[in-house]
Amino acid sequence: MEILWVLMAAIMIGAVLGPLLLRRRGGIRQVAPGSPDAADPADYGFARQEELDIRMPGPDHDLLDVLDVVQRSQSWKAASQLLAGTEMHGEVRWQRVQAFAGAASLELQERPGGVSDEPGGQWLRVWRAEAPKDAGGAAVHAEFLVQQAWRSSTSGTDEFRIILEEAKEACAQAALLAPGDPIPYIIELSIARGLAYPREEFEQLWLKILDRAPAHMGAHLAALHYWCEKWHGSRELAHSFAEAAAARAPKGSLLSATPLFAVYEHLPEVNLVRGFYESEVVTKAVEGALYAVHSARPDDPMLAHVRHLLVFFLVRCERWGEAMNQLVHVDGHVGALPWTVSHDPAADYAVYRALAVAGYEANGGSPATLSH
């Protein structure tokens, strides 16, 4: 019986890893690191693993500069000025609110404070106290509470619910300070998921977002979680939501890539079917995302999110050249799905990048043949 279990385990491991390590035509031969035959991502100008920035999916130099100032000086004013100067209904402002909230949350996690020590993230508390009518500060505070709930407590516990109820009130206050701002309602999407809003209540919240920012992809991705099988919906409801978003996507919008995120959220934990990544549902979602990427503005702030997820799927699909074409656009930053769900985002990304390079070279590619 023990031998049978060992054989079954070997078959499962081979089924999962086989498609990644061996093509039907011309296998990817694994060699020792440093071997003359080893594929080297550095040959393509890719960043070393330890240099990868796990904070964001792509560069935002203004945000990084301001974050540095805020964390060094513990003064909130530069953050307030940056948010005030960022277009209200766009994706960038939402990403910056998340970044400031995340920075304060991580500071607090690293320095919870004590009898003689001031807790981390104090600049956010001072911001709310000194500028209670600052809409940007109110939004960051609400998102901070949401991140605290998910980071520091367990879903379904009293502590989790109490923090999310406080976050819900903070969202209401932020919405009053900026009636046309979609961000307080986008933040509430995570609260709705955590507090298990009834569908009618969730749909009313969603309509408020559509009224303010109908093509906001960050909002769509946040709402998608609610409809997923692991939360309050099903595979069918999630795919229906994603397909509807793609169908109404305006020209040049990355909403056409939403179905790929729905597929990702419902991937089987263990895939024993070799052809899964060649199936119609995966192929259709990948092609939709590639179309969205090719049609989008080069400066679309959500473009890096889609490219990162495409790297994951294109490698799984053994479409090495197309994976490399995405990598040249995103390498250096890994703060996006699917890497952010890992305990070591840089390491996970580096594995997929190495597989893409190896597959590309095994099929005749080289740095000279890769267009940038």
Side-chain angles (χ1 to χ4, degrees):
M1 182 60 72
E2 289 182 3
I3 293 175
L4 178 59
W5 280 111
V6 170
L7 288 173
M8 289 179 66
I11 292 169
M12 291 176 69
I13 292 170
V16 174
L17 297 181
L20 295 179
L21 301 179
L22 186 66
R23 284 184 61 84
R24 293 181 184 84
R25 303 177 303 276
I28 300 175
R29 186 165 53 89
Q30 289 188 308
V31 297
S35 165
D37 294 327
D40 188 355
D43 292 342
Y44 297 84
F46 294 151
R48 296 170 63 88
Q49 182 177 325
E50 59 269 24
E51 297 170 347
L52 295 169
D53 190 329
I54 65 173
R55 296 171 295 179
M56 296 182 296
D60 184 341
H61 300 298
D62 289 340
L63 172 61
L64 289 178
D65 290 344
V66 169
L67 267 175
D68 182 58
V69 169
V70 169
Q71 294 183 313
R72 277 192 295 104
S73 67
Q74 288 295 294
S75 171
W76 53 271
K77 293 184 179 178
S80 176
Q81 291 170 358
L82 182 66
L83 288 181
T86 305
E87 198 271 316
M88 177 183 287
H89 297 89
E91 308 280 355
V92 173
R93 190 162 180 271
W94 167 228
Q95 292 182 14
R96 289 175 173 176
V97 165
Q98 289 180 297
F100 286 128
S105 180
L106 287 173
E107 281 185 38
L108 181 59
Q109 184 178 7
E110 293 168 0
R111 302 195 312 276
V115 176
S116 58
D117 295 328
E118 187 176 86
Q122 185 68 17
W123 54 269
L124 178 54
R125 287 181 283 278
V126 174
W127 187 356
R128 292 298 297 130
E130 293 183 354
K133 294 186 178 181
D134 186 324
V140 171
H141 178 239
E143 173 64 14
F144 165 81
L145 291 171
V146 169
Q147 293 194 27
Q148 280 296 102
W150 290 100
R151 180 176 283 130
S152 65
S153 56
T154 302
S155 177
T157 63
D158 288 342
E159 180 187 9
F160 180 78
R161 177 170 291 275
I162 288 169
I163 298 174
L164 285 187
E165 290 288 0
E166 184 181 355
K168 184 177 181 178
E169 178 58 31
C171 285
Q173 294 173 9
L176 287 174
L177 291 172
D181 189 352
I183 288 181
Y185 301 104
I186 297 174
I187 296 170
E188 193 177 347
L189 291 171
S190 291
I191 299 170
R193 176 162 52 99
L195 295 181
Y197 281 20
R199 287 185 184 176
E200 183 178 351
E201 185 177 358
F202 183 87
E203 288 171 349
Q204 290 173 354
L205 171 63
W206 182 237
L207 286 175
K208 292 177 182 178
I209 296 170
L210 291 182
D211 285 344
R212 291 162 175 80
H216 198 292
M217 187 171 182
H220 280 78
L221 297 184
L224 176 63
H225 287 294
Y226 178 91
W227 295 113
C228 286
E229 189 174 62
K230 59 189 172 185
W231 288 105
H232 311 296
S234 65
R235 182 187 303 267
E236 292 72 26
L237 286 170
H239 281 281
S240 176
F241 174 83
E243 292 290 348
R248 65 169 180 272
K251 184 178 180 180
S253 169
L254 285 164
L255 284 176
S256 299
T258 311
L260 189 64
F261 287 84
V263 171
Y264 173 76
E265 292 296 336
H266 294 88
L267 287 177
E269 290 187 12
V270 177
N271 172 34
L272 299 180
V273 181
R274 182 182 175 90
F276 174 78
Y277 287 95
E278 298 173 358
S279 64
E280 181 180 357
V281 65
V282 173
T283 301
K284 182 180 177 183
V286 168
E287 294 302 330
L290 286 169
Y291 170 79
V293 164
H294 293 150
S295 304
R297 302 188 327 268
D299 63 344
D300 191 311
M302 293 301 293
L303 190 53
H305 287 273
V306 180
R307 290 191 187 278
H308 277 289
L309 197 60
L310 273 169
V311 168
F312 173 88
F313 276 98
L314 290 170
V315 168
R316 292 282 184 113
C317 295
E318 303 176 21
R319 295 165 65 168
W320 314 114
E322 291 169 288
M324 292 292 286
N325 287 333
Q326 301 305 318
L327 283 167
V328 298
H329 291 286
V330 298
D331 193 73
H333 296 83
V334 295
L337 282 175
W339 328 120
T340 49
V341 299
S342 166
H343 293 299
D344 192 343
D348 267 24
Y349 169 83
V351 167
Y352 275 78
R353 183 178 65 183
L355 285 168
V357 170
Y360 183 63
E361 293 189 356
N363 288 273
S366 71
T369 61
L370 183 63
S371 59
H372 285 70

